[in-house]
Amino acid sequence: MLQVHEIRAHKDAYINALKKRGLDASADIEAVLSADETRRATQAKLDETLAQSNIFSKEIGKLFQSGEQQKANLLKEKTTQLKETSKQLQEELNTAVETLDNLLFALPNIPHESVPAGTDENDNETVFSEGDIPTLNTEALPHWELAKKYDLIDFELGVKVTGAGFPVYKGKGARLQRALISYFLDKNTEAGYTEYQVPHLVNETSARGTGQLPDKEGQMYHVTGDDLYLIPTAEVPVTNLFRGDLLPHTELPITCTGYTPCFRREAGSYGAHVRGLNRLHQFDKVEIVRIEHPDNSYNALDGMVEHVKSILRDLKLPYRILRLCGGDLGFTAALTYDFEVFSTAQDRWLEISSVSNFETFQANRLKLRFKDADGKNNLVHTLNGSALALPRVLAGILENYQTPDGIKIPEVLVPYCGFEMIS
RNA sequence: GGAGAAAUGGCAGAGUGGUCGAAUGCGGCAGUCUUGAAAACUGUUGAGGGUCACACCUCCGGGGGUUCGAAUCCCUCUUUCUCCGCCA
């Protein structure tokens, strides 16, 4: 959520920045400012009324103590009107706050200056690429066929037990997946991230805190019986660990990693590109989260990018890094780098990580602040990224490492797998 | 699931209708003393809104109510603890 007082101070800058998202927000911004105006005016009136009635109450108290009952009763009558007024003003204030909040909730984060203009994924900017794309022979198979051939993943069984998009991993497929999770967690821990195991269901407040609500209401599985949401990413529970905190600046940065399954309804996104592991309702992901001093957040973002690079180098997968354009940027992000692995057999790029700086957008909702060296309280910057998302990495490995004799296991994973080859 | 107890500032812990944003202790910060440190002493030390700055307003788990006035009384929800039952 954007900060009102910032919008008040830099109205035009906000309108301009949002244009990069293809959004003409001038009317919305005006609405915010006028709602804010109303809120403050109402607040001031209410405060005045309460101040007056506080004065009366104190006087009445004194009168009672000195035994001047009659005078006290006289004053009491005076307060009835004030009570009525303050009750009314309180209601007005509540609606004013609600109006303002709803307007603010609807506004996305403002893009960082380096975000390229653009409307969709075609306008994303490739900023880096690395790794050789293997030349496969003509019998090369896409991963869903390899999965079947070597009995690694059973999609039909998942349909039977739950439904489409809930694959069942088995044998060496399950083992390879577990190996990847362990390897990612170890790698992240070595880089200084503290490992967490967190709940896979979150309450509404948490989902609002990181911005999944109200923006992505339909994307999450909602457990209505207990009013909880299945997490779409570990970002939600992990970041919310710190919701409401006021951290000493000496504790920054806070760095976390965690493995969780992720649940996404993916409503309406069926089609040609969702075969196999490409798009699932349940998948595994290892996430990294950083809580940073605002002055350091972009350094930290670069560091996260380098970290993810090193994982992909370890795995020897060909990949590229995109800087998302304004139109493709997520609601809460100021700057996002997407990592894509080239899937040779499918001849297309698969997104396997998304690394973002949210600046104060989440922190504002989370009320997550730090106390600066001079004793002032400020919002932190939050960042997160996948390191990494499992299914498409698995797809990339299966497809790029296939040989006529079977699938080779990337060297770094052999100790975790306990085998070198799937055949 | 049943019965009972509790929730107060960074922590511990007083406060049962007015002068309480809240005693006291610990911790934190600043100072005195000291070559420096410790100890001792002195001062200071919650958050949000609002204002140019003050004033002022709000907050004692959340929400609602009684009252001129609520940390304190009532209702409700949540959480924690103890006991019982059940159980990976």
Side-chain angles (χ1 to χ4, degrees):
Chain A
M1 182 159 64
L2 298 173
Q3 301 174 73
V4 206
H5 61 270
E6 288 293 321
I7 299 180
R8 221 189 292 158
H10 313 286
K11 181 176 101 177
D12 294 331
Y14 271 75
I15 293 172
N16 276 331
L18 287 171
K19 275 185 190 149
K20 240 189 220 174
R21 285 183 179 269
L23 209 70
D24 179 10
S26 41
D28 294 330
I29 295 284
E30 288 301 341
V32 164
L33 290 179
S34 117
D36 179 47
E37 190 66 45
T38 308
R39 198 213 91 229
R40 279 185 298 154
T42 314
Q43 177 78 257
K45 272 195 265 177
L46 175 63
D47 286 358
E48 218 174 291
T49 315
L50 289 174
Q52 189 52 249
S53 84
N54 283 344
I55 291 168
F56 282 151
S57 293
K58 275 181 190 157
E59 272 179 50
I60 291 170
K62 274 183 202 154
L63 289 173
F64 268 122
Q65 268 166 2
S66 60
E68 297 173 84
Q69 294 275 346
Q70 279 195 334
K71 275 189 176 177
N73 285 329
L74 222 66
L75 258 186
K76 267 198 199 180
E77 282 170 34
K78 277 187 165 181
T79 60
T80 43
Q81 181 57 39
L82 282 175
K83 260 185 104 174
E84 197 51 45
T85 320
S86 67
K87 202 172 174 185
Q88 215 172 348
L89 284 170
Q90 183 64 59
E91 273 168 31
E92 274 179 47
L93 181 63
N94 290 346
T95 21
V97 169
E98 201 182 323
T99 309
L100 178 61
D101 278 353
N102 286 339
L103 287 166
L104 284 172
F105 270 132
L107 285 173
N109 202 355
I110 55 168
H112 185 255
E113 56 182 9
S114 71
V115 169
T119 54
D120 57 34
E121 63 203 33
N122 298 314
D123 299 319
N124 294 338
E125 183 188 342
T126 305
V127 292
F128 187 84
S129 65
E130 190 174 32
D132 299 324
I133 292 168
T135 32
L136 302 178
N137 60 38
T138 44
E139 293 101 65
L141 298 170
H143 68 266
W144 53 88
E145 288 184 28
L146 292 166
K148 192 161 205 163
K149 180 171 171 188
Y150 296 109
D151 200 19
L152 303 173
I153 305 168
D154 195 322
F155 292 97
E156 283 74 27
L157 266 184
V159 171
K160 174 169 136 189
V161 174
T162 305
F166 293 89
V168 172
Y169 302 85
K170 56 192 281 200
K172 286 186 171 173
R175 180 68 187 257
L176 178 53
Q177 173 118 281
R178 177 156 61 89
L180 279 165
I181 293 166
S182 294
Y183 159 69
F184 290 154
L185 284 171
D186 285 355
K187 184 89 180 170
N188 296 343
T189 305
E190 274 163 34
Y193 293 89
T194 304
E195 183 175 344
Y196 282 81
Q197 285 193 18
V198 291
H200 299 166
L201 289 126
V202 294
N203 56 32
E204 186 186 326
T205 314
S206 293
R208 288 191 98 84
T210 33
Q212 275 68 29
L213 289 178
D215 183 45
K216 288 184 181 155
E217 173 85 66
Q219 262 296 349
M220 285 188 292
Y221 287 98
H222 187 191
V223 181
T224 52
D226 296 282
D227 200 17
L228 296 170
Y229 293 86
L230 271 79
I231 56 170
T233 159
E235 163 195 348
V236 182
V238 173
T239 313
N240 272 283
L241 294 174
F242 305 95
R243 169 155 46 86
D245 285 2
L246 178 54
L247 305 158
H249 68 279
T250 47
E251 276 185 28
L252 299 176
I254 291 175
T255 59
C256 315
T257 185
Y259 151 72
T260 68
C262 301
F263 302 91
R264 299 187 182 179
R265 296 187 61 230
E266 303 293 353
S269 66
Y270 302 96
H273 279 168
V274 303
R275 284 198 75 172
L277 295 172
N278 289 347
R279 189 178 294 278
L280 301 169
H281 289 307
Q282 178 181 329
F283 63 95
D284 292 310
K285 183 156 63 66
V286 175
E287 187 79 357
I288 49 179
V289 171
R290 299 184 72 99
I291 294 168
E292 287 281 349
H293 190 286
D295 293 346
N296 192 48
S297 70
Y298 280 94
N299 276 337
L301 184 67
D302 291 344
M304 290 167 88
V305 167
E306 286 307 314
H307 178 64
V308 174
K309 275 186 186 175
S310 80
I311 297 176
L312 289 165
R313 269 183 209 131
D314 280 3
L315 292 173
K316 297 194 168 69
L317 288 170
Y319 69 97
R320 66 178 185 183
I321 304 175
L322 307 175
R323 188 189 277 134
L324 295 193
C325 73
D328 206 23
L329 194 63
F331 188 83
T332 51
L335 177 59
T336 296
Y337 292 105
D338 271 6
F339 283 69
E340 297 184 332
V341 157
F342 192 74
S343 155
T344 314
Q346 294 183 69
D347 192 29
R348 57 185 283 240
W349 295 92
L350 300 175
E351 182 192 331
I352 43 91
S353 177
S354 190
V355 182
S356 305
N357 188 352
F358 304 95
E359 298 192 6
T360 58
F361 194 85
Q362 291 182 328
N364 190 26
R365 290 193 187 187
L366 292 161
K367 299 240 174 340
L368 173 44
R369 297 163 301 161
F370 70 100
K371 197 176 271 296
D372 216 337
D374 59 7
K376 282 179 69 180
N377 301 331
N378 300 299
L379 293 172
V380 299
H381 282 192
T382 58
L383 304 90
N384 68 52
S386 353
L388 293 169
L390 271 290
R392 294 178 190 155
V393 171
L394 194 61
I397 290 174
L398 296 182
E399 294 179 7
N400 290 343
Y401 277 88
Q402 62 181 303
T403 72
D405 306 322
I407 293 155
K408 256 192 82 199
I409 299 297
E411 221 174 293
V412 287
L413 294 178
V414 172
Y416 290 94
C417 278
F419 50 83
E420 293 176 14
M421 198 76 182
I422 295 171
S423 51

